Amino acid sequence: MFKFRLDGANIYVKSGLLFLAIAVVAFVLTLFLRPAAESTRFLLIWLTFGSFLGGVTLYFIGRIIHIANRRDAA
């Protein structure tokens, strides 16, 4: 069974997952609240977009560092 643990993860993986969670929350807020003000909607869309791209980037950097460290230790 797969267990989700963050104790061995580096800061990039943790930050990436945090940004992805922020992106999901901002996306849900954009969809369900449907803000009437154009500036609020624009801000939520960019928050979603930026958090998603930043989260994916940081997550993959963290995974690459994790793999490199594991190969060095072997």
Side-chain angles (χ1 to χ4, degrees):
M1 184 79 189
F2 178 73
K3 291 174 103 178
F4 186 72
R5 298 181 338 200
L6 286 177
D7 55 346
N10 58 30
I11 191 69
Y12 296 106
V13 172
K14 292 176 185 177
S15 299
L17 290 175
L18 177 67
F19 276 24
L20 287 172
I22 291 171
V24 168
V25 169
F27 181 69
V28 168
L29 287 175
T30 304
L31 281 182
F32 291 117
L33 289 183
R34 296 188 187 265
E38 185 70 28
S39 60
T40 306
R41 185 177 15 214
F42 185 75
L43 181 66
L44 282 173
I45 289 171
W46 274 104
L47 179 66
T48 303
F49 181 69
S51 296
F52 178 75
L53 286 181
V56 168
T57 303
L58 284 171
Y59 181 78
F60 281 119
I61 288 172
R63 294 306 294 167
I64 289 169
I65 290 172
H66 178 72
I67 291 169
N69 287 342
R70 198 169 47 166
R71 288 181 74 193
D72 289 341

